[in-house]
Amino acid sequence: MQDHARLNVAELTLLAAIWGASFLFLRLGAPAFGPLALAFVRVAGAGLFLLPLLAWQGGRAGLQELRRDWRPLMLVALLNSALPFAFFSYAALSITAGLSSILNATTPIWGALVASIWLGQRLDTGRRLGLLVGFAGVVFLAWEQASFKPGGSGWAILACLGATCCYGLAASATKKYLGQTRPLAVATGSQAFAALLLAVPAAAQWPAQMPGQTAWLSAIALALLCSGLAYILYFRLMQRAGPSYALSVTFLIPVFAVLWGAVFLGESFTLHMAAGCAIVLLGTALAIGVLKLPQQRST
């Protein structure tokens, strides 16, 4: 039992380190590729990585799941990969990896809000408070930076929040329409169909000058490491330790994103960002039930 617990902690930490690094790779790749082209290379590479695994694990039945469920998989591909990857790539052009990762930590908040509206999941007082606290943290973070003038970061912040809202919608769509589909098939379909969705827009926006080696290595790392391998780790954790445990990776990702950004890009982590991060993570913990308000005893 202890061996399983240690393995879970190790894989959770590795997953957080990988997804934290995705914001570094976005900063390195987005200026050369542009948002749409980088998002396409990411999902296309991940799809090519995951398709053989699905065929090997599930055989013909695994590939048949992609054909059978192509409509909901296309929806999840749009919401869970195509749009958010393009949004985060756009944001990487003007805001730091650390700030993007902190805004990404609002994903469970959007997930709880969408599930309450779409799936009718009840939010208790603590979870409702978590939604308010989390969004207050976003406002606190963006207050001094959300300028929509040329050179401002307002649109980048909105892009990050649009991406996390898409993730929240995708979680409910997956639960509603793909509950009987194997996790690896969902992961594979979300990447492969996202590549189809992004192919034409990416071709129209393909950079006139071929991206350099650093940009290509970053794009490949996003595809194979941050999408392909990360999805496998994430779904393994979800199956072995449960969804709540897997979602706790949200709290570790900003730590690694800030670390990688400071070490490799020289990005600073200000006191203002630290305070905003703490507020967002507190709200997230309340919204997903990791922290609970004390129960009042009846007399």
Side-chain angles (χ1 to χ4, degrees), residues 149-161:
K149 297 178 181 178
S153 59
W155 291 114
I157 291 172
L158 285 182
C160 288
L161 295 177

Side-chain angles (χ1 to χ4, degrees), residues 240-272:
R240 195 170 58 229
S244 296
Y245 189 92
L247 277 174
S248 66
V249 71
T250 303
F251 301 99
L252 295 176
I253 290 173
V255 176
F256 284 99
V258 168
L259 175 64
W260 303 144
V263 171
F264 295 103
L265 300 176
E267 295 180 352
S268 60
F269 186 61
T270 65
L271 184 61
H272 182 265

Side-chain angles (χ1 to χ4, degrees), residues 16-266:
I18 291 173
W19 272 341
S22 68
F23 297 96
L24 166 68
F25 297 134
L26 287 171
R27 291 281 285 167
L28 293 172
F33 276 97
L36 291 173
L38 181 60
F40 170 75
V41 173
R42 178 176 184 176
V43 295
L48 291 173
F49 174 77
L50 290 169
L51 274 168
L53 288 178
L54 179 64
W56 175 63
Q57 272 200 6
R60 186 175 297 177
L63 299 178
Q64 285 177 343
E65 283 185 285
L66 299 185
R67 290 194 293 269
R68 182 194 70 199
D69 298 327
W70 72 269
R71 288 182 181 85
L73 282 171
M74 190 71 76
L75 175 64
V76 170
L78 177 69
L79 295 173
N80 202 59
S81 299
L83 287 177
F85 289 176
F87 286 159
F88 273 121
S89 296
Y90 169 78
L93 295 172
S94 56
I95 63 176
T96 65
L99 180 55
S100 289
S101 69
I102 294 169
L103 294 171
N104 178 67
T106 64
T107 295
I109 297 176
W110 287 107
L113 180 61
V114 171
S116 69
I117 297 171
W118 190 0
L119 304 180
Q121 292 186 0
R122 181 179 173 275
L123 294 176
D124 59 24
T125 303
R127 291 175 186 262
R128 289 196 296 269
L129 178 62
L131 296 179
L132 294 174
V133 171
F135 286 117
V138 171
V139 172
F140 178 82
L141 276 171
W143 191 259
E144 294 181 354
Q145 304 186 52
S147 170
F148 294 94
K149 297 178 181 178
S153 59
W155 291 114
I157 291 172
L158 285 182
C160 288
L161 295 177
T164 55
C165 181
C166 285
Y167 285 146
L169 289 166
S172 287
T174 301
K175 185 170 184 177
K176 187 174 181 66
Y177 301 121
L178 294 168
Q180 303 303 314
T181 306
R182 278 177 293 183
L184 183 57
V186 176
T188 304
S190 70
Q191 302 305 298
F193 287 125
L196 294 178
L197 292 170
L198 286 170
V200 173
Q205 296 294 319
W206 196 261
Q209 183 177 352
M210 182 61 68
Q213 182 180 18
T214 298
W216 272 107
L217 289 175
S218 298
I220 292 170
L222 283 168
L224 302 185
L225 188 65
C226 302
S227 295
L229 177 60
Y231 270 121
I232 294 172
L233 287 172
Y234 180 69
F235 286 121
R236 271 177 48 162
L237 271 173
M238 188 171 288
Q239 288 179 333
R240 195 170 58 229
S244 296
Y245 189 92
L247 277 174
S248 66
V249 71
T250 303
F251 301 99
L252 295 176
I253 290 173
V255 176
F256 284 99
V258 168
L259 175 64
W260 303 144
V263 171
F264 295 103
L265 300 176

